[in-house]
Amino acid sequence: MSSLLCTIIFLVFNLAAFTSNGQLVYHGFSGVNLTLDGNAMVTADGFLELTNDTINLGHAFYPTPQNFRKLPNSTVQSFSVTFVFAILSVHDDISADGMAFFVAPSKNLSNTWAQYIGLLNSRNDGNTSNHMFAVELDTTQNDEFKDIDNNHVGININSLTSLQAHHTGYYDDKSGFFNNLTLISGKAMQVWADYDGESAEISVTLAPLGEPKPVRSLLSSSYNLSDVLREQSYIGFSATTGAISTRHCVLGWSFAMNGPAPAIDISRLPKLPRLGPKPRSKTLDITLPIATGIFVLTVGTIVVLLVRRRLRYMELREDWEIDFGPHRFSFKDLYRATQGFNKKNLLGTGGFGIVYKGVLRKSKVKVAVKRVSHESTQGLKEFIAEVVSIGRLRHRNLVPLLGYCRRHGELLLVYDYMSNGSLNKYLYPEDGKPSLNWAERFRIIKGVAFGLLYLHEKWEKVVIHRDIKPGNILLDSEMNARLGDFGLSRLYDHGTDPQTTHVVGTMGYLAPELVRTGRASTLTDVFAFGIFLLEVICGQKPVKKDSQGNLQHGLFDLVLEHFHNRSLIQTVDSRLQGDCNIEEACLALKLGLLCSHPFTNARPSMQLVMKYLEGDTPLPEVPSTHFGFTMQALMQSKGFESPTLSFPHLTSIATFSDLSGGR
Ligand SMILES: *[C@@H]1O[C@H](CO)[C@@H](O)[C@H](O)[C@H]1NC(C)=O
Ligand SMILES: *[C@@H]1O[C@H](CO)[C@@H](O)[C@H](O)[C@H]1NC(C)=O
Ligand SMILES: *[C@@H]1O[C@H](CO)[C@@H](O)[C@H](O)[C@H]1NC(C)=O
Ligand SMILES: *[C@@H]1O[C@H](CO)[C@@H](O)[C@H](O)[C@H]1NC(C)=O
Ligand SMILES: *[C@@H]1O[C@H](CO)[C@@H](O)[C@H](O)[C@H]1NC(C)=O
Ligand SMILES: *[C@@H]1O[C@H](CO)[C@@H](O)[C@H](O)[C@H]1NC(C)=O
Ligand SMILES: *[C@@H]1O[C@H](CO)[C@@H](O)[C@H](O)[C@H]1NC(C)=O
């Protein structure tokens, strides 16, 4: 009797010690009290599923906070965590976005974005007031965060830019060699993360499920978390997906303060879910006896159907494409996704091709498929290499490219579907719907500038866009402006003779020297960006037809005139009345004039444009002597003649006397 009492007392004592020590261990999560949000749920099989589809976000928190410091002002104690996870994507080779174990000061992570794995957003990324520590398992290469690849583990402090990151894998204890692992393999793996409060060292180790913890850790970094974590913080998991249906699962989890995390007994873990098509039904293989006549008839019909089908879905494939294999879609899939390129799925017709909306059959991913006709294969290889590699990088201001397909005389590009469509729709809304407000417009301008800066200066090669205009700017679900059609102009760059070049671009956004020589440069993009800026702020199309049907550069002239009259603010879109930051508007209008300056050497680089927009560098005062002659004389001396087009702003007297004085 007394021994029973002792046992009970011992158990009660032990349980108390268990919680006050901040220890937990879970083999599966059935019946476990977790705080879940978003799409996170505990499945019938007992594992924690943070996401299970496209455009998903899920968090799971231990319901009560942990004491990371003994006293409010003492240092952060050692802690240790281990968990077993699996990432299951509908595709073998691509997934989005990733998952993380985190320590955070609150259970409110509602204001976070997918690209930031549901931990942060663009406004608070990097801010020390986040008080956040995370171990990320990242399956997308995001240039913004300087990601090393699309399969890495990282230590993150207050930011999605990792303190340290490593390609996923582990060091074999016996041989010492590094073995690669693939996060999205669908196989369960175990992660160990430890923080030593004495030495302020963080280490992270990974191994396939069933392997003991490797001696050599994957990541180890010195960082004093006493400068980061709050006394009381929550621990948990976060995951997000984008266009690719992915399940981020946790099978087991243990955590301890001031000691090693309890071992996870893998025999007690729930079974992993299976993803992908169900195994083929056996009944399909059962053949029935048929009369010979019917048999022959059937075979004949099938042959005819197959030949027709083959022709319909015929593609072009060459040896050099092997490298791009994973990014190649079959025409059949795209044909089905768009219901045979049905008219009702038409999204628009651009300078480069026709765009259809579609839903990929297996993954249910919404896509936009662009059909571009091209005659020669010249330059196509470089084009595909460039476009595929830029598109794979996740940049906040570029439309993600999922892959491509090639047919005779035709190229198909598959992009993420942008749920909010093109900027045109918002700038010129139908029947009295509200237009964009000032903050949205300014954010879109900065986004476009950032995307263009990336193409011009941050990518391995200089990429000229050639067709900046609201119709080519798409808005994602978070109203981020994203540039479409990047790299496409390369298709037109090859083997062209300046005499016969047909100018790529849109009237109204074409720089004078581009019309003259047919040669695009980063500065012709800057010109178009300048016109785009004016258009977004004034809410007016850049060109209008006059009574004779000639195109007039009305908008530029209008803004220039008001600039001279020091009444710039009157040009701002009347729909913005009362909701406009006058300083920002004047800055943007002047910058628009500067970018669209007829002389290339007066236009700033996108780097500078970005600095002006961010207010890091004041807009320069341009001396009046800089523009002491007429454009008309200049254009004529260069032999610029165009019987059908007139560019009044080029022929007007361009006297940008003082760019800073035009309010
Ligand atoms: C996905 O998760 C949601 C909860 O967020 C759930 O309602 C739905 O049934 C899940 N779908 C599948 C296929 O498991
Ligand atoms: C879960 O834990 C929270 C915090 O301790 C508590 O308020 C809640 O009642 C618990 N829920 C259940 C079902 O035990
Ligand atoms: C730490 O905090 C405790 C109570 O919050 C206070 O009594 C003590 O003086 C503080 N110590 C230091 C070094 O600030
Ligand atoms: C969560 O935080 C956001 C701001 O980040 C706030 O708007 C929202 O009200 C908060 N939600 C809760 C439930 O506290
Ligand atoms: C960091 O966040 C705090 C609180 O949200 C805010 O007041 C501060 O301005 C932010 N700092 C920066 C550099 O963004
Ligand atoms: C592991 O992956 C890296 C990066 O993808 C690659 O360079 C390396 O050759 C791979 N190592 C092995 C042993 O496969
Ligand atoms: C970490 O920082 C705290 C103060 O923030 C300091 O007391 C402690 O000594 C530091 N630890 C190490 C290992 O540097």
Side-chain angles (χ1 to χ4, degrees), residues 69 73-76 195-201 224-227:
R69 299 170 196 259
N73 50 10
S74 57
T75 58
V76 163
Y195 175 67
D196 181 338
E198 297 269 307
S199 59
E201 291 278 342
N224 194 342
L225 292 184
S226 296
D227 302 336

Side-chain angles (χ1 to χ4, degrees), residues 175-424:
S175 66
F177 286 135
F178 183 76
N179 292 334
N180 281 334
L181 289 174
T182 307
L183 289 173
I184 64 166
S185 61
K187 299 202 176 83
M189 294 172 215
Q190 187 165 1
V191 174
W192 293 263
D194 300 282
Y195 175 67
D196 181 338
E198 297 269 307
S199 59
E201 291 278 342
I202 304 164
S203 67
V204 177
T205 312
L206 200 91
L209 187 63
E211 300 270 333
K213 180 180 178 182
V215 175
R216 182 169 169 195
S217 51
L218 181 65
L219 295 167
S220 93
S221 199
S222 280
Y223 203 99
N224 194 342
L225 292 184
S226 296
D227 302 336
V228 179
L229 300 182
R230 285 265 168 83
E231 179 202 7
Q232 295 218 312
S233 299
Y234 292 89
I235 54 175
F237 297 93
S238 177
T240 54
T241 68
I244 299 172
S245 176
T246 309
R247 296 164 84 175
H248 291 96
C249 307
V250 182
L251 308 178
W253 179 25
S254 84
F255 177 89
M257 203 63 87
N258 273 326
I264 291 179
D265 177 359
I266 62 166
S267 67
R268 292 171 59 195
L269 293 177
K271 291 280 162 290
L272 250 189
R274 213 177 31 79
L275 200 73
K278 295 211 162 65
R280 279 270 290 279
S281 156
K282 284 277 186 290
T283 53
L284 279 181
D285 299 334
I286 298 171
T287 47
L288 299 166
I290 333 161
T292 325
I294 300 172
F295 180 75
V296 168
L297 199 70
T298 319
V299 169
T301 321
I302 288 172
V303 167
V304 169
L305 283 176
L306 279 180
V307 167
R308 269 177 54 186
R309 207 175 122 109
R310 232 192 124 81
L311 281 176
R312 177 192 284 172
Y313 299 140
M314 196 149 72
E315 296 174 22
L316 217 61
R317 261 175 216 269
E318 287 170 72
D319 288 346
W320 57 264
E321 289 182 73
I322 288 169
D323 284 352
F324 309 115
H327 304 288
R328 176 105 200 195
F329 279 81
S330 78
F331 185 72
K332 191 165 120 189
D333 286 349
L334 299 182
Y335 187 88
R336 288 185 172 169
T338 55
Q339 297 168 293
F341 296 97
N342 196 313
K343 261 204 195 117
K344 70 173 197 238
N345 288 333
L346 194 71
L347 283 175
T349 3
F352 296 108
I354 305 168
V355 193
Y356 295 86
K357 183 180 167 173
V359 179
L360 295 179
R361 270 241 182 131
K362 276 191 209 131
S363 55
K364 304 278 178 279
V365 174
K366 280 190 193 159
V367 292
V369 182
K370 177 163 251 172
R371 296 184 85 159
V372 186
S373 61
H374 70 92
E375 306 309 321
S376 70
T377 54
Q378 214 186 6
L380 197 69
K381 187 173 168 181
E382 291 108 309
F383 167 76
I384 287 176
E386 181 172 295
V387 143
V388 168
S389 47
I390 306 175
R392 264 180 33 177
L393 270 175
R394 286 292 199 94
H395 186 281
R396 191 178 2 135
N397 302 111
L398 297 179
V399 180
L401 182 80
L402 301 177
Y404 76 101
C405 174
R406 229 151 61 78
R407 302 188 90 203
H408 186 68
E410 190 179 35
L411 176 72
L412 295 100
L413 295 168
V414 186
Y415 294 94
D416 256 7
Y417 176 69
M418 294 286 118
S419 55
N420 280 322
S422 94
L423 175 57
N424 251 345

Side-chain angles (χ1 to χ4, degrees), residues 32 138 225 265-266 379 410 437 503 574:
V32 171
D138 195 346
L225 292 184
D265 177 359
I266 62 166
E410 190 179 35
N437 68 26
V503 176
S574 56

Side-chain angles (χ1 to χ4, degrees), residues 33-35 63-64 107:
N33 186 0
L34 294 175
T35 307
T64 51
K107 282 203 277 189

Side-chain angles (χ1 to χ4, degrees), residues 33-47:
N33 186 0
L34 294 175
T35 307
L36 303 176
D37 71 25
N39 298 88
M41 61 174 190
V42 174
T43 65
D45 294 334
F47 56 87

Side-chain angles (χ1 to χ4, degrees), residues 132-206:
M132 188 180 276
F133 165 80
V135 176
E136 65 167 26
L137 305 166
D138 195 346
T139 59
T140 23
Q141 183 173 16
N142 208 313
D143 187 60
E144 212 175 332
F145 310 134
K146 305 186 181 63
D147 282 347
I148 50 169
D149 58 20
N150 61 1
N151 181 40
H152 63 269
V153 181
I155 297 174
N156 292 49
I157 305 214
N158 293 331
S159 168
L160 254 276
T161 306
S162 300
L163 177 66
Q164 202 185 66
H166 200 290
H167 184 77
T168 307
Y170 66 105
Y171 293 95
D172 188 277
D173 280 347
K174 287 193 200 95
S175 66
F177 286 135
F178 183 76
N179 292 334
N180 281 334
L181 289 174
T182 307
L183 289 173
I184 64 166
S185 61
K187 299 202 176 83
M189 294 172 215
Q190 187 165 1
V191 174
W192 293 263
D194 300 282
Y195 175 67
D196 181 338
E198 297 269 307
S199 59
E201 291 278 342
I202 304 164
S203 67
V204 177
T205 312
L206 200 91

